[in-house]
Amino acid sequence: MARVIAISNQKGGAGKTTTAVNLGARLAKFHKKRTLLMDMDPQAHCTLWSGINPGSFSVSIYHIITQNLPLKQCLIEAGENLFLAPADARLSRLRAQDVRLMKSPFLLTREEADSYDFTIIDCPPAMGLPTLFALASASELIIPVQTQFLALERTIELIKNLRVLRQKFNRRLRLGGIVCTMYDPRTNISREVVGRLQRLFGDKVFKTIIHRDVRLEECPAHRKSIFEYSPNSNAAKQYEEFTEEVLKSG
Ligand SMILES: Nc1ncnc2c1ncn2[C@@H]1O[C@H](COP(=O)(O)OP(=O)(O)OP(=O)(O)O)[C@@H](O)[C@H]1O
Ligand SMILES: [Mg+2]
């Protein structure tokens, strides 16, 4: 069964895009899974990271939604087994009236989803229409949480909202898990945040913890995943282990 994973957290800079891009790259290249990376953020970080310049394509995910086009019209091949549904700033223009014209509130049809093993949706840091589309279309939600002060409240809020989202418009949406990011073992706050998440959400917290690593900060500028940019780094090992956990949790 095809898996559609929304990577979301209303908090900015939580590691959503870093997680989406590296999970997508690992699944596609190393596990040979046919993977679709969907950029639902007007900031277009996922698109830029994939080496695609906003402005270099005429059909984006915004047009798919507002003009009821088949998803394949916007897809760009981004690597072996890897496809990108690009975004640009126009996505921020999405309004409720655009949505009313749509035949369905899903970003992709069941057939479209089934033509990939994994669809990974990178969400913006807000609970606006792009995120709602992603959550309506997903089979699971992965929440990256930066292990820092003030990171937790939004996560707890999102998980509380999940019940309502499920009731209102997507019964099959399940919590795939919470992934701790930017962990710094030297700080008490990192340890406290992980401990609190584990106490609150138990085995819904992925065992793999992504540590703070400057190489993860550098690789988007090189348009490379961590596996290409620094394959022997701890960060590559951690995203590799995280991907294994995601595969096992399906
Ligand atoms: N484990 C890490 N170690 C060091 N830097 C990281 C790590 N993960 C992400 N970063 C950097 O932190 C910043 C925020 O990460 P990222 O863009 O993945 O977050 P985001 O949740 O997608 O942000 P936004 O809410 O703006 O979409 C980026 O500059 C990224 O390169
Ligand atoms: Mg992002």
Side-chain angles (χ1 to χ4, degrees):
M1 180 94 168
R3 291 172 67 182
V4 181
I5 305 177
I7 312 277
S8 180
N9 187 336
Q10 285 156 266
K11 175 129 183 23
K16 295 180 285 295
T17 304
T18 305
T19 299
V21 168
N22 287 304
L23 173 64
R26 187 79 198 168
L27 286 168
K29 199 154 179 195
F30 294 86
H31 296 279
K32 308 292 175 207
K33 302 287 183 193
R34 206 174 138 81
T35 302
L36 169 62
L37 200 52
M38 201 179 263
D39 194 348
M40 283 305 286
D41 188 349
Q43 298 180 99
H45 289 165
C46 223
T47 302
L48 283 162
W49 194 335
S50 305
I52 310 298
N53 273 331
S56 67
F57 47 88
S58 52
V59 183
S60 70
I61 196 74
Y62 171 77
H63 302 91
I64 302 301
I65 297 171
T66 55
Q67 296 172 22
N68 274 312
L69 300 174
L71 184 67
K72 66 172 187 292
Q73 288 206 15
C74 78
L75 295 187
I76 297 171
E77 237 179 293
E80 188 188 336
N81 294 321
L82 189 61
F83 301 84
L84 172 77
D88 59 24
R90 284 174 286 193
L91 195 53
S92 62
R93 290 196 222 139
L94 199 62
R95 296 287 176 267
Q97 56 265 37
D98 300 323
V99 176
R100 253 183 262 129
L101 301 172
M102 289 183 65
K103 288 191 205 100
S104 90
F106 306 118
L107 291 169
L108 63 182
T109 62
R110 181 57 68 85
E111 294 74 51
E112 283 167 338
D114 282 346
S115 63
Y116 301 93
D117 297 303
F118 283 87
T119 298
I120 313 285
I121 313 177
D122 184 29
C123 295
M127 192 46 89
L129 282 173
T131 299
L132 289 174
F133 266 103
L135 295 178
S137 310
S139 56
E140 57 199 281
L141 164 67
I142 289 181
I143 309 175
V145 180
Q146 191 180 357
T147 53
Q148 276 176 6
F149 185 54
L150 296 180
L152 271 185
E153 308 319 315
R154 291 272 177 91
T155 307
I156 295 168
E157 204 180 303
L158 178 57
I159 292 173
K160 278 189 193 149
N161 285 342
L162 197 58
R163 207 172 304 141
V164 180
L165 286 166
R166 229 185 255 131
Q167 280 164 0
K168 291 250 187 244
F169 63 142
N170 184 358
R171 288 192 180 281
R172 69 183 192 128
L173 182 66
R174 70 177 182 92
L175 178 61
I178 297 162
V179 55
C180 300
T181 67
M182 299 182 227
Y183 181 80
D184 185 344
R186 295 165 306 180
T187 64
N188 289 336
I189 189 71
S190 266
R191 284 195 298 272
E192 278 168 29
V193 171
V194 172
R196 200 165 156 218
L197 283 169
Q198 286 168 338
R199 280 194 300 282
L200 282 169
F201 303 110
D203 62 5
K204 280 293 172 194
V205 182
F206 286 99
K207 297 208 169 40
T208 309
I209 291 174
I210 312 295
H211 289 226
R212 184 170 283 285
D213 189 326
V214 72
R215 273 155 294 212
L216 279 170
E217 242 174 302
E218 291 164 354
C219 54
H222 296 267
R223 310 287 196 251
K224 287 179 174 164
S225 72
I226 191 67
F227 309 108
E228 296 159 303
Y229 182 66
S230 187
N232 298 318
S233 61
N234 286 333
K237 183 105 194 63
Q238 287 155 9
Y239 270 109
E240 177 188 327
E241 287 172 6
F242 166 70
T243 307
E244 305 274 341
E245 279 194 76
V246 171
L247 279 162
K248 280 192 200 125
S249 71

